[in-house]
Amino acid sequence: MAEVLFSRPKSLLDIPMHYCPGCHHGIIHRLVAEVLDELNVRERTIGIAPVGCSVLAYEYFNCDMMEAAHGRAPAVATGVKRVLPESVVFTYQGDGDLAAIGCAEIIHAAVRGEKITTIFVNNAIYGMTGGQMAPTSLESQVTTTSPYGRKLSESGMPIRMSEMISTIDGAAYITRVAVNNPANMAKAKSSIKTAFQLQMSGAGFSMVEVLSTCPTNWGMTPLEAVKWLEQNMIPYYPLGVFKTPEGVAKV
Amino acid sequence: MAEKILMKGNEAIGEAAIVAGCRHYFGYPITPQTELTEYMARRMPQVNGVFLQAESEIAAINMVYGAAGAGARAMTSSSSPGISLKQEGISYIAGAELPCVIVNIQRGGPGLGSIQPAQSDYFQATKGGGHGDYHCIVLAPNSVQELVDVTVESFDLADRYRNPVLILGDGALGQMMEPVEFRASVATVVEKPWAAVGMKNRNQPNIINSLHLKADEQEQHNHKLQARYAAITASETRCEELYTDDAELTLVAYGITSRIARTAVEKARGEGMKVGLFRPISLWPFPSDQLFSTASRTKAFLTIEMSAGQMIEDVKLAIRCSKPVYFYGRYGGMIPSPREIYHEIVKIFDGKGGR
Ligand SMILES: Cc1ncc(C[n+]2csc(CCOP(=O)(O)OP(=O)(O)O)c2C)c(N)n1
Ligand code: SF4
């Protein structure tokens, strides 16, 4: 008998995704789903979908889901978790969603030490609306609303959310990962798993920032996009763990 | 019968919500409703409930969205500028068909306005307020006792129709103290098989959502909502009538204004003027049929509002412009006196009324 080495996680529905070729949203969905499977929490998980390219995340995850208004997922997740403290609650948010319109909601969810997990997909651009500047867009990055390149004198510096949120006491676990190669994917998955485990142990707020590509709006092939991420994003957004409760490595 | 206790309007709403089984309150302070937020902060822990002071009204209403989506009876409250911020969430809640209760203890506006009582959020409350084709059920009590009764009922209505219910009060009602009676706990337990609580043994995920990317599917969803609004309109209009049987002039007023108007009506009656009072209690659905039927008996209407004239549009629509409608309003936080209203009545009887 042949052994099955690779199959669709139970927490992901068997539906073709709408993401562009080479987009990392699909990989990140899969990693989250694998973690839900491995922790065996799918049946008590409620996911909160954002506004952005992953707006349809509720069509893909095989668990109860809510669709939130642009940026408000952390507040919605707070409401859910306060009603169902035994449940596992995660938000999945892009950088426009989390770092621009939803900046207050994510900061205060962290301040409260809300026992939720946030998957923060940072692709340095607004994907869904066609490639406008995000708070995370890099200096000189050309977008449809920074056609001459992002100027720091006008738009300020790109915001480093993980660094910022890691200064908040209620944040238990803040880490930045990427899914640009198999080794980093494995690290990303293990971070996502730790984040969920810490939520379940009641440690506080956990967030995994995942650097991600948007080949379509960056105007690149998927391979060029991965290279751009490695050469431009990782230097400005260094990978690593920014905040960890004591003994997190052993969780 | 339970004993009567003296209570402030804002606090009475809080206790009534607890009686109705609400155990999740999310709010943000703003005058003149803050006593309700403070009351919930005191009481919720005593009943094993959740009180959370959100970072903004936007967050508070979205916490309500999450809590309601997870099957709880949830409530938030605010006053005019705060309700404006909540409109985004209210539109989403209406779109996602979630039951919840929202309290607006109005103050003068626009903008930061005054902190005194007003009724100038009528349009916002009854015509949508947020984006899209939707309605909240809007109830406007006129006493502290009625605040209690309406609040308890609101949770049932919200669950029955899976629709947000807005309690529209004003600073005077929120701040005044009156004796009230709480009937024994009447919390109705409602099954919510649609709630997102974790799949447990279900085969299909439950999804709380207001997104329908395809226009025809969005239209279908709007059809469904419109059918619900029609059902609500058919069975949930509420009003009170006083001396309308033989009234030559019928005053129309709601909330605190209806009580002031009533004093003026009694005085005018005492002097032989045939005046009546029609009080809408549900502002949406507006009691149009009931008001229309008074139109056949009366010669004219006088709408009294603490606004520059908002409900008057519904009054004219309801009576299909079949009779003259006069208007008297104070606004910005000013409360009309019974004397002012009495003078308006006399003016109309003398043929000098303003429209
Ligand atoms: C209140 C509101 N403002 C603006 C929009 C339009 N909008 C939809 S997605 C989006 C940007 C999302 O970007 P991001 O969060 O980075 O996600 P991505 O699409 O890149 O995955 C915007 C501005 C909206 N839906 N709601
Ligand atoms: S537009 Fe960008 S973020 Fe959106 S699906 Fe396509 S590649 Fe992904």
Side-chain angles (χ1 to χ4, degrees), chain A residues 43 58 64-65 67 72, chain B residues 65 88 200 202 206 208:
Chain A
E43 301 198 330
Y58 58 81
D64 280 4
M65 295 286 293
E67 166 62 36
R72 317 296 177 224
Chain B
Y65 177 103
E88 175 198 65
K200 314 250 163 57
R202 231 186 303 117
N206 277 351
I208 306 291

Side-chain angles (χ1 to χ4, degrees), chain A residues 24-232:
Chain A
H24 287 174
H25 270 307
I27 301 173
I28 302 164
H29 277 28
R30 184 179 171 106
L31 296 183
V32 172
E34 284 177 1
V35 165
L36 294 179
D37 278 12
E38 285 170 24
L39 296 174
N40 197 23
V41 293
R42 182 179 72 93
E43 301 198 330
R44 59 181 171 113
T45 295
I46 297 113
I48 319 290
V51 166
C53 278
S54 43
V55 70
L56 294 176
Y58 58 81
E59 301 235 313
Y60 308 137
F61 284 105
N62 189 14
C63 64
D64 280 4
M65 295 286 293
M66 289 193 200
E67 166 62 36
H70 198 18
R72 317 296 177 224
V76 172
T78 299
V80 175
K81 190 74 182 197
R82 296 299 177 112
V83 172
L84 305 166
E86 299 305 318
S87 63
V88 174
V89 179
F90 75 93
T91 72
Y92 185 104
Q93 305 178 256
D95 46 77
D97 197 70
L98 179 141
I101 192 168
C103 203
E105 283 79 7
I106 196 68
I107 295 287
H108 287 276
V111 166
R112 289 189 299 269
E114 213 62 61
K115 291 161 193 62
I116 60 171
T117 298
T118 291
I119 309 298
F120 168 35
V121 181
N122 180 0
N123 59 13
I125 205 159
Y126 285 16
M128 187 187 216
T129 40
Q132 296 79 26
M133 187 181 70
T136 47
S137 295
L138 297 178
E139 182 181 3
S140 305
Q141 189 178 334
V142 173
T143 71
T144 62
T145 51
S146 57
Y148 309 109
R150 178 177 182 151
K151 287 200 183 69
L152 303 190
S153 59
E154 286 167 10
S155 312
M157 294 285 282
I159 191 167
R160 292 189 180 101
M161 292 305 291
S162 285
E163 284 83 341
M164 186 162 98
I165 294 179
S166 65
T167 66
I168 294 170
D169 289 337
Y173 181 63
I174 307 292
T175 176
R176 186 183 287 123
V177 299
V179 290
N180 56 322
N181 59 43
N184 276 350
M185 280 182 214
K187 275 191 208 157
K189 182 171 163 186
S190 119
S191 291
I192 293 169
K193 195 166 187 175
T194 304
F196 275 100
Q197 283 169 324
L198 284 168
Q199 172 186 168
M200 286 151 64
S201 72
F205 175 77
S206 57
M207 181 175 92
V208 180
E209 175 175 349
V210 189
L211 300 185
S212 177
T213 56
C214 179
T216 303
N217 287 305
W218 293 355
M220 296 174 195
T221 66
L223 281 178
E224 285 166 350
V226 168
K227 204 170 275 169
W228 192 85
L229 181 146
E230 287 163 356
Q231 288 174 350
N232 296 280

